[in-house]
Amino acid sequence: MNTFPDADVRLVHVDGLDIKVSVRGTGQPLLLIMGLGGNMGMWEPLERELVPRGFQTITFDAPGTGESTGWFLPRRMSAIARVVEHVLGALALGQVDVLGVSLGGAIAQQLTRQAPQLVRKLVLAATMPGVGGVPASPSVLLRMSTPRRYRDPEYFRQVAGTLYGGRSRSAEGSPVHHTAARFAAPPSWAGYAHQLYSIQGWSSLPWLHRLRQRTLVMNGDDDPIVPLANGRILAWRIPRAHLHVVHGGGHLFLLEEPEASAATIAQFLQA
């Protein structure tokens, strides 16, 4: 039996953009929102674990990343969340579960604030509340300032350990060192810069206490980009949130440990 069906991939035209979207499987719809510079193909290891557990996964390339077009001028976080809202509308999806990782977690928080009727449960992985959270070190932020790690495999291998932590510290121990997905559709320089602009000055701290969705916060305790303190802040500020600490996990724990991550996510979403 084929437990990992082919994806229905299409372009959806919303807000003046062509957004590449993938829908895979049947069952409980789960929207996956990728982080800074990433493309929807990078979700495949986690999708391979989620789809057989009864989820329909919806992924997309954010504006200016992967194979989606971008705006001429950068937009704020609310505009990106509105694009996601309109993508769900174009797919005729009603209420969905939402999982956002890293920058995608910030978009997921903003989407939940702007369109709470669309979000049943929320999973926030390796993400933060923006201003008011605990930032990465200056050396990590410097490496995050360009999309070079999506364009240069050798550079990625050189910096992955100190940038992402966790299993990425060992080339032999981390499957992300061997994936071609991150290099298959790198973000444009403008698209990457626009994503960086969207989160500058953004903060969810003033309104997180108003979110009513049950929320699972997942954070590794070896994440140089999003220190664990950010997960604790999110779980403290969101009324119905629970923090799951991935011991030894780095920033890419969803991709490095997809089976364990999917089991935790499924247990939460299917409860």
Side-chain angles (χ1 to χ4, degrees):
M1 182 175 66
N2 181 10
T3 57
F4 191 63
D6 292 336
D8 174 10
V9 180
R10 68 186 87 167
L11 285 176
V12 173
H13 188 73
V14 295
D15 296 12
L17 302 170
D18 288 324
I19 302 296
K20 190 175 183 181
V21 177
S22 166
V23 179
R24 193 189 301 272
T26 58
Q28 194 169 333
L30 172 58
L31 174 69
L32 305 176
I33 307 179
M34 181 51 71
L36 176 66
N39 65 76
M40 66 184 194
M42 294 170 61
W43 284 116
E44 185 173 320
L46 188 63
E47 287 186 280
R48 285 186 176 277
E49 298 294 337
L50 288 170
V51 171
R53 287 176 164 84
F55 291 98
Q56 178 188 60
T57 55
I58 303 107
T59 65
F60 65 97
D61 286 336
T65 70
E67 298 182 37
S68 292
T69 58
W71 287 298
F72 181 71
L73 295 174
R75 306 291 178 91
R76 304 299 291 168
M77 188 69 72
S78 57
I80 298 176
R82 193 171 305 114
V83 168
V84 179
E85 181 182 347
H86 293 164
V87 166
L88 291 175
L91 296 176
L93 290 167
Q95 198 173 55
V96 300
D97 293 325
V98 176
L99 187 165
V101 63
S102 196
L103 177 66
I107 298 170
Q109 293 171 59
Q110 185 69 42
L111 174 68
T112 306
R113 182 196 186 197
Q114 291 181 201
Q117 74 282 1
L118 294 179
V119 182
R120 191 183 74 95
K121 289 185 179 180
L122 183 61
V123 180
L124 301 175
T127 192
M128 62 188 304
V131 174
V134 178
S137 68
S139 62
V140 167
L141 293 175
L142 181 62
R143 284 175 173 156
M144 297 281 290
S145 65
T146 82
R148 184 180 174 189
R149 65 191 184 283
Y150 289 105
R151 296 174 169 273
D152 184 342
E154 182 55 35
Y155 176 75
F156 169 73
R157 281 189 284 274
Q158 290 175 5
V159 304
T162 54
L163 184 58
Y164 295 117
R167 292 178 63 188
S168 294
R169 295 188 188 279
S170 166
E172 293 74 24
S174 175
V176 300
H177 283 270
H178 308 291
T179 180
R182 73 166 36 242
F183 307 110
S188 67
W189 286 86
Y192 190 86
H194 287 188
Q195 283 194 313
L196 287 175
Y197 171 82
S198 73
I199 199 169
Q200 298 307 308
W202 177 86
S203 178
S204 59
L205 282 182
W207 43 262
L208 280 178
H209 65 284
R210 299 195 189 104
L211 301 187
R212 292 293 174 262
Q213 285 77 4
R214 287 191 60 202
T215 302
L216 173 64
V217 179
M218 303 178 73
N219 214 126
D221 60 5
D222 183 26
D223 185 343
I225 296 176
V226 179
L228 176 58
N230 293 284
R232 298 193 191 284
I233 293 171
L234 291 172
W236 166 59
R237 291 292 293 162
I238 300 173
R240 303 178 70 195
H242 166 73
L243 173 63
H244 175 81
V245 177
V246 181
H247 296 290
H251 194 65
L252 302 179
F253 68 83
L254 289 180
L255 306 180
E256 293 177 336
E257 302 179 34
E259 183 177 358
S261 297
T264 300
I265 293 164
Q267 183 179 33
F268 169 70
L269 294 179
Q270 294 172 337

